[in-house]
Amino acid sequence: MQLHLLPTSLALLAVSHRALASPAVSTITRTATSPPVPTSTSFTSDSAFETAMLAAHNFYRKEHNASALTWNSTSAKYAASWAGNCVFKHSGGPTGENLAAGYTNASQGVDAWGLERESYDWAKPGFSEATGHFTQVVWRNTTSVGCGRTACEGRDDTPGFYVVCEYYPPGNVVGDGNRFFVDNVWRQVEGRDTDTVESGVTSFARGWGS
Ligand SMILES: *[C@@H]1O[C@H](CO)[C@@H](O)[C@H](O)[C@H]1NC(C)=O
Ligand SMILES: *[C@@H]1O[C@H](CO)[C@@H](O)[C@H](O)[C@H]1NC(C)=O
Ligand SMILES: *[C@@H]1O[C@H](CO)[C@@H](O)[C@H](O)[C@H]1NC(C)=O
Ligand SMILES: *[C@@H]1O[C@H](CO)[C@@H](O)[C@H](O)[C@H]1NC(C)=O
């Protein structure tokens, strides 16, 4: 049963710095305790973390005809520093930013972001809280990403590993009749909307509520 593979607790949020129309709202969902999971190498090793984060992002970008992101070490340092505070809200920096916490391994959080595409309204392209992580992940004008993580384990109510990613140039640019969303967020040119990297998160809808 897939639900058993889902994270015991998680939190997600994506609002671009420039998405001024929408206030940042964070959602933290917890479920009853479950057996502890071993700490994934994708969190504990810097190189495994970078590889997993890049691969997961580029998996979704390829399906939406966006070029592969490169690792931006300036952004990664900034992200690591922000993650170190264990404060689950946006840093207010100049880059696009996605946050996740409570996942079992690095790929899982990106899969949860990517699977928001199941909810994207292709007939009405634009920003929404429910799909903002996805639109940033596949935003065509973004060329680099740098991510950091910290084992917050409940510090300041941030569960498990807290992952922060910074995107440059930033996506989720609003305004001008959502022209930027039309230009930057492409429909899938290959694969299905339920495709995932390998994380055990199988569906946005079943993965977590709301
Ligand atoms: C992907 O985008 C490029 C332009 O960046 C375009 O030439 C190509 O046709 C697109 N591929 C598909 C399958 O739409
Ligand atoms: C890396 O990201 C920073 C912002 O964090 C940006 O100023 C810089 O230009 C980026 N470098 C590259 C090569 O994209
Ligand atoms: C796309 O990126 C360039 C920098 O590479 C930036 O100057 C431009 O404002 C960006 N456009 C959008 C729509 O984000
Ligand atoms: C991530 O965790 C899930 C669920 O425990 C597992 O199925 C998957 O193989 C893991 N992926 C990686 C890259 O560790």
Side-chain angles (χ1 to χ4, degrees):
M1 167 78 179
Q2 294 294 355
L3 279 176
H4 292 156
L5 296 175
L6 295 172
T8 54
S9 57
L10 53 89
L12 287 163
L13 171 66
V15 184
S16 159
H17 178 65
R18 298 200 205 168
L20 298 171
S22 309
V25 173
S26 77
T27 308
I28 299 184
T29 309
R30 289 190 186 72
T31 61
T33 48
S34 57
V37 283
T39 304
S40 168
T41 312
S42 68
F43 283 136
T44 55
S45 150
D46 284 348
S47 62
F49 177 67
E50 176 180 328
T51 301
M53 294 308 281
L54 267 183
H57 277 88
N58 290 335
F59 172 88
Y60 287 98
R61 290 180 66 84
K62 184 162 182 285
E63 289 200 343
H64 292 269
N65 200 14
S67 60
L69 300 178
T70 57
W71 193 252
N72 183 318
S73 53
T74 306
S75 298
K77 275 196 201 95
Y78 178 93
S81 159
W82 184 250
N85 297 327
C86 291
V87 174
F88 195 82
K89 58 182 187 194
H90 282 296
S91 67
T95 47
E97 186 172 79
N98 278 354
L99 311 176
Y103 286 97
T104 308
N105 58 44
S107 333
Q108 274 195 345
V110 183
D111 270 341
W113 295 340
L115 286 170
E116 288 175 3
R117 64 186 173 187
E118 294 177 334
S119 306
Y120 193 67
D121 187 351
W122 296 100
K124 275 174 68 182
F127 181 80
S128 101
E129 297 283 347
T131 57
H133 306 88
F134 159 66
T135 51
Q136 172 60 85
V137 166
V138 302
W139 194 267
R140 281 164 66 94
N141 203 46
T142 295
T143 54
S144 72
V145 66
C147 310
R149 78 287 184 205
T150 294
C152 295
E153 308 294 1
R155 233 172 87 205
D156 204 41
D157 285 339
T158 302
F161 267 87
Y162 177 29
V163 174
V164 176
C165 290
E166 305 294 338
Y167 301 87
Y168 183 84
N172 286 344
V173 180
V174 297
D176 214 354
N178 285 322
R179 174 167 79 83
F180 304 117
F181 278 80
V182 173
D183 290 348
N184 284 281
V185 181
W186 277 40
R187 284 177 189 268
Q188 272 180 269
V189 295
E190 61 179 67
R192 304 161 60 111
D193 64 356
T194 50
D195 289 350
T196 59
V197 180
E198 51 156 342
S199 71
V201 174
T202 55
S203 160
F204 168 67
R206 276 189 293 152
W208 39 288
S210 104

mmCIF file of all heavy atoms in Angstrom, residues 5 104-105 107-108 198-199, ligand 4:
data_model
loop_
_atom_site.group_PDB
_atom_site.id
_atom_site.type_symbol
_atom_site.label_atom_id
_atom_site.label_comp_id
_atom_site.label_asym_id
_atom_site.label_seq_id
_atom_site.Cartn_x
_atom_site.Cartn_y
_atom_site.Cartn_z
ATOM 1 N N LEU A 5 4.504 4.360 2.266
ATOM 2 C CA LEU A 5 5.795 4.878 1.823
ATOM 3 C C LEU A 5 5.859 6.400 1.936
ATOM 4 O O LEU A 5 6.891 6.992 1.720
ATOM 5 C CB LEU A 5 6.049 4.484 0.371
ATOM 6 C CG LEU A 5 6.179 2.993 0.131
ATOM 7 C CD1 LEU A 5 6.306 2.705 -1.351
ATOM 8 C CD2 LEU A 5 7.382 2.434 0.877
ATOM 9 N N THR A 104 11.484 11.652 3.513
ATOM 10 C CA THR A 104 12.415 10.580 3.837
ATOM 11 C C THR A 104 13.739 10.697 3.097
ATOM 12 O O THR A 104 14.773 10.270 3.587
ATOM 13 C CB THR A 104 11.759 9.223 3.497
ATOM 14 O OG1 THR A 104 10.491 9.186 4.138
ATOM 15 C CG2 THR A 104 12.607 8.075 3.951
ATOM 16 N N ASN A 105 13.698 11.234 1.897
ATOM 17 C CA ASN A 105 14.943 11.420 1.163
ATOM 18 C C ASN A 105 14.819 12.631 0.237
ATOM 19 O O ASN A 105 13.733 13.195 0.080
ATOM 20 C CB ASN A 105 15.358 10.146 0.416
ATOM 21 C CG ASN A 105 14.294 9.680 -0.562
ATOM 22 O OD1 ASN A 105 13.728 10.475 -1.288
ATOM 23 N ND2 ASN A 105 14.030 8.363 -0.560
ATOM 24 N N SER A 107 14.937 13.125 -3.035
ATOM 25 C CA SER A 107 14.100 13.107 -4.242
ATOM 26 C C SER A 107 12.624 13.270 -3.927
ATOM 27 O O SER A 107 11.858 13.772 -4.742
ATOM 28 C CB SER A 107 14.260 11.791 -5.011
ATOM 29 O OG SER A 107 15.482 11.201 -4.801
ATOM 30 N N GLN A 108 12.237 12.819 -2.750
ATOM 31 C CA GLN A 108 10.806 12.834 -2.412
ATOM 32 C C GLN A 108 10.208 14.231 -2.438
ATOM 33 O O GLN A 108 9.094 14.420 -2.931
ATOM 34 C CB GLN A 108 10.587 12.252 -1.016
ATOM 35 C CG GLN A 108 10.457 10.757 -1.009
ATOM 36 C CD GLN A 108 9.894 10.258 0.312
ATOM 37 O OE1 GLN A 108 9.861 10.989 1.301
ATOM 38 N NE2 GLN A 108 9.462 9.031 0.324
ATOM 39 N N GLU A 198 11.524 8.480 -8.364
ATOM 40 C CA GLU A 198 11.751 7.160 -7.774
ATOM 41 C C GLU A 198 11.545 7.226 -6.283
ATOM 42 O O GLU A 198 12.065 6.460 -5.510
ATOM 43 C CB GLU A 198 13.199 6.714 -7.991
ATOM 44 C CG GLU A 198 14.146 7.803 -7.530
ATOM 45 C CD GLU A 198 15.528 7.342 -7.158
ATOM 46 O OE1 GLU A 198 15.717 6.150 -6.920
ATOM 47 O OE2 GLU A 198 16.391 8.205 -7.085
ATOM 48 N N SER A 199 10.807 8.235 -5.865
ATOM 49 C CA SER A 199 10.904 8.575 -4.460
ATOM 50 C C SER A 199 9.944 7.837 -3.550
ATOM 51 O O SER A 199 10.057 7.912 -2.342
ATOM 52 C CB SER A 199 10.658 10.058 -4.293
ATOM 53 O OG SER A 199 9.305 10.324 -4.520
HETATM 54 C C1 LIG B 4 13.307 7.502 -1.093
HETATM 55 O O1 LIG B 4 12.455 6.913 -0.114
HETATM 56 C C2 LIG B 4 11.436 6.091 -0.681
HETATM 57 C C3 LIG B 4 10.474 5.705 0.436
HETATM 58 O O2 LIG B 4 11.147 5.201 1.552
HETATM 59 C C4 LIG B 4 12.078 4.909 -1.401
HETATM 60 O O3 LIG B 4 11.078 4.137 -2.016
HETATM 61 C C5 LIG B 4 13.039 5.439 -2.472
HETATM 62 O O4 LIG B 4 13.743 4.374 -3.067
HETATM 63 C C6 LIG B 4 14.034 6.418 -1.863
HETATM 64 N N1 LIG B 4 14.819 7.007 -2.915
HETATM 65 C C7 LIG B 4 16.094 7.304 -2.764
HETATM 66 C C8 LIG B 4 16.775 7.955 -3.928
HETATM 67 O O5 LIG B 4 16.703 7.085 -1.717
#
